[in-house]
Amino acid sequence: MMKRDDGHSIAITIIIIALILSIMAGLARDRAEQDSEVYYIVERHNDLVLQAEACTLYNDPEIPDDVEAAAAICGLYNGLEPELLEAVAWQESKYDPTAKSGSCMGLMQVHTKVHADRLEAFGVTKDQMLTTYIGMAVGASLLADKVRESSSLETALQNYNGSEHKKSYAKSVLNKREELITKHSKGGN
């Protein structure tokens, strides 16, 4: 667990994790895409520093620190709110990175058989899905794709869950997201 005493060290840790995740994602792409990925990382360096420092403005005692950090990094990388990722992680695993349900594994309960190609693209094994950062990274990537493909966030969440007809799942995640946004805007407590 990371300590919240030193905001600078947390920001630096978040940046390092972001770079590691970027490199992991880049490994699955061809050389031209890797080159543009490196350029993208360099371009956004200052932005990442500012946003990473902003991520330390709240410390929600109900969310494990490593889950908060993973949500912040993966949110930045995939263009998603950390609170959305935290809400999905709560709904899927109650923040337990080792959660398993059939072929669904990890913090974000990614279906490892259905999304075997995504695991392969990330270069991760099923066992690695049971770590906080990798589980969050793969789940956030999947959710980001669903958001891009969908007409609304509600539909994206329904598709992430495996059925465009499960409105109760989407509603539960969206309610948790709003609760977290409100709470975090007040400092996390």
Side-chain angles (χ1 to χ4, degrees):
M1 295 247 175
M2 291 191 293
K3 296 188 189 281
R4 296 290 172 155
D5 298 332
D6 182 2
H8 248 352
S9 65
I10 293 172
I12 290 168
T13 302
I14 290 172
I15 291 166
I16 291 169
I17 294 168
L19 292 173
I20 291 168
L21 290 172
S22 297
I23 291 166
M24 278 178 44
L27 292 175
R29 297 185 177 115
D30 66 24
R31 183 70 186 155
E33 288 178 337
Q34 287 179 19
D35 289 345
S36 68
E37 185 73 20
V38 170
Y39 177 76
Y40 175 76
I41 292 168
V42 171
E43 274 297 302
R44 290 205 46 210
H45 179 265
N46 288 337
D47 188 41
L48 278 173
V49 170
L50 293 173
Q51 292 183 42
E53 287 176 352
C55 291
T56 63
L57 293 178
Y58 71 85
N59 179 20
D60 190 328
E62 296 176 15
I63 302 174
D65 288 349
D66 58 341
V67 173
E68 280 185 337
I73 292 301
C74 295
L76 282 172
Y77 186 79
N78 290 287
L80 300 170
E81 301 164 322
E83 290 86 357
L84 175 61
L85 295 175
E86 291 164 352
V88 171
W90 172 253
Q91 182 69 31
E92 293 290 348
S93 69
K94 302 298 185 256
Y95 304 132
D96 179 3
T98 64
K100 294 181 186 178
S101 178
S103 294
C104 297
M105 299 179 74
L107 190 64
M108 303 289 280
Q109 289 294 284
V110 174
H111 196 294
T112 56
K113 288 184 181 177
V114 172
H115 301 293
D117 57 336
R118 188 171 300 266
L119 271 65
E120 185 178 327
F122 270 82
V124 301
T125 65
K126 289 179 185 179
D127 289 339
Q128 290 172 319
M129 286 296 297
L130 301 177
T131 65
T132 301
Y133 294 101
I134 292 175
M136 179 68 78
V138 175
S141 168
L142 178 60
L143 181 57
D145 286 351
K146 299 298 182 188
V147 168
R148 281 189 289 278
E149 297 165 0
S150 301
S151 59
S152 70
L153 184 54
E154 180 180 17
T155 302
L157 288 165
Q158 290 167 222
N159 290 334
Y160 179 88
N161 186 245
S163 172
E164 63 183 69
H165 305 294
K166 288 193 176 183
K167 291 187 180 203
S168 62
Y169 173 85
K171 184 176 180 178
S172 177
V173 170
L174 291 172
N175 287 340
K176 183 69 173 179
R177 171 185 162 250
E178 287 304 314
E179 172 190 322
L180 292 170
I181 287 172
T182 301
K183 185 177 184 182
H184 296 168
S185 70
K186 296 175 183 174
N189 297 315

